[in-house]
Amino acid sequence: IYTMRCDVLLVLGSRLDLRQTGAVTGPFEQRTIIHVDCEQAEINNRIQGCHPVVADLRDFIGGMIERSQ
C-alpha cells in the first residue's frame, strides 16, 4: 500500500474506515496524519494519533490557497 511509504498523509474529508485503510491499521498509526473533516467525531475514530483539523473543506482549501500567495 503506497500510503504506508509516506512521511505525511493529508486526509481531506475521509472517514478512514475499513474501505479506505484495509484491515491492517498499524502502519497508518506510525505516520504523521493531518486529518481534515467537518465532523470532530470522524477524526481519530478508527485510526488514532491524527492531527485534527475540524473545518469545512471549502474553508480549509481556501485558507491554504490564501496562505500560499
Side-chain angles (χ1 to χ4, degrees):
I1 297 176
Y2 292 106
T3 55
M4 293 182 191
R5 297 183 194 169
C6 69
D7 295 323
V8 175
L9 179 62
L10 178 61
V11 179
L12 302 174
S14 173
R15 296 178 354 171
L16 289 179
D17 66 4
L18 189 62
R19 289 184 182 183
Q20 285 82 32
T21 65
V24 178
T25 61
F28 286 94
E29 295 171 1
Q30 298 171 11
R31 304 291 183 239
T32 299
I33 301 174
I34 301 168
H35 191 165
V36 182
D37 202 293
C38 64
E39 294 184 36
Q40 175 69 44
E42 296 296 344
I43 300 172
N44 288 316
N45 185 16
R46 186 162 180 273
I47 304 296
Q48 301 298 308
C50 297
H51 299 280
V53 178
V54 180
D56 182 90
L57 284 181
R58 181 178 299 166
D59 297 334
F60 177 80
I61 293 171
M64 295 302 290
I65 291 170
E66 281 182 21
R67 288 180 187 219
S68 69
Q69 297 175 351

